[in-house]
Amino acid sequence: DLIRDLQTPSGTHSQAAHTGGSVRRLAGALSTANAASVTASTGCAVMTSSTDFVYSATRGTGTTNCGSGGTVQCPPCIMAGSHTGITATIQDCSTYEKTSSSGDITDELIEFVFINTDSADALTIQARTGSGTNVGSAYLLGPYESVVAFCYSGGSNRLHFPDNGAYCSAGCDATAPNDRTGTAFTRRLVSTSSIATKLETIGGITSAGTIAGRVFANDPGGAITWGVSGAQTAGFTSAKWTELDTIGGITSAGTIAGRVFANDPGGAITWGVSGAQTAGFTSAKWTELDTIGGITSAGTIASNVFANNPGGTVSWGGSCNGGTVWCY
C-alpha cells in the first residue's frame, strides 16, 4: 500500500508484497477520493476540513479515519480541496500498518505527498505521536503549493520536509531577491547586527526604535500636524497650540523659552531674590551687583525711584528751593 521498499539488488521495487496484489502507485496518474470514501486502490485522499490520518491503525478496525467507517488504510498522499484554513494531522507514521497480516513497517521509509489546491488559505501539516503529542513544528503549505516529506520507521513519527526553517535558500541572499514566481520581495531582511544598529539610529538618536515604540504606543486619535514656528504641535489644533504657547499672558512663550534654553547655564539656576531673578548668580554675586556706590539694596531703591514716571526729562543738579533737588 504505497510502501516504497528499498531497492533490491536487481533494482526493482516489491510493492505488491505488502498489498496482496492491489498496488497503489505514487508516480504517474493517481486516483483521488474524499478521505471518507477512499478504497485500497485510491492514490490520494482529499480533505476539506481538519482531519487526523491514523497510520498505525489496523485496517478493518474502524480507526484509520479513511474509507467507509474508517476501515481503510489512509494513503500517504493528502490533497486539500477548497477550504478556509485546515490541518492535516499525520499520526504514528513510523508505525505505518502495511497490512493486517504483515504488521508495521520495519527498517522502511514512507514518502508522503501533500498538495494544497486552495487559492487563499494555507494547509497546516502536523506530525503526531498518538492522539495528543505533536512531533516537531507544524508545516504550513501555502495556496497552490505541494511538498514531499518522508517518515521512516526509526524516526519517532517525525515528518522530514525539504524546508524545516533551519536555512534559507541561496536566492534569499541576493541583492534583490525574488520569490518563486520571479516577483521581487517587497520586504527586506536585516542580515547583520551592524546594519540593524544603523537602522536603529535616526538623526544621531540611538535606540530610535525603542523611542519610536513609546511615541506610537498610544493612538493620537487623528492625523498629527507637525511644525508651528519650529515647534511641534503633536496633534493640537491651531487654537489649542496658541493657548499652550501663552504663559502668564506672554504670547509666543515657546519661542521665548527656546531662546532661554538655547545655551546651557552651566549649573542649577537660583530663582528669586527680593522679587528679582538672579538667573544663576550666586548669593554673593547678587549682593555685589545689588550694591551701587556703596549703597546696598540698590535694586530696591532703583525700583522705588523708577516706580512712577516723572513725566519728562529729569535735570540733575542746580539750586532749587535752597538745595540740590530735582528741578523740572
Side-chain angles (χ1 to χ4, degrees), residues 19 27 39 43 55 63 72 114 119-120 123 157 164 172 215 235-236 253-254 266 269 285 300 310-311:
T19 62
T39 66
Y55 290 94
T63 55
V72 179
F114 299 96
S119 62
L123 168 65
N157 303 311
N164 263 325
C172 293
V215 170
F236 294 117
I269 295 176
K285 178 58 70 175
T300 301

Side-chain angles (χ1 to χ4, degrees), residues 139-153:
Y139 186 96
L140 269 65
L141 189 64
Y144 296 143
E145 289 188 336
S146 63
V147 68
V148 175
F150 294 91
C151 177
Y152 73 101
S153 55

Side-chain angles (χ1 to χ4, degrees), residues 87 89-90 126-138 156-158:
T87 299
T89 301
I90 308 303
Q126 178 64 66
R128 182 174 293 172
T129 296
S131 60
T133 304
N134 290 339
V135 179
S137 300
S156 302
N157 303 311
R158 181 179 293 275

Side-chain angles (χ1 to χ4, degrees), residues 200-248:
E200 180 75 353
T201 303
I202 301 174
I205 301 173
T206 57
S207 302
T210 301
I211 295 171
R214 291 171 179 164
V215 170
F216 297 112
N218 297 310
D219 187 346
I224 295 176
T225 303
W226 296 106
V228 173
S229 301
Q232 306 306 322
T233 63
F236 294 117
T237 63
S238 178
K240 177 59 70 175
W241 178 251
T242 300
E243 178 184 340
L244 293 172
D245 198 32
T246 303
I247 301 174

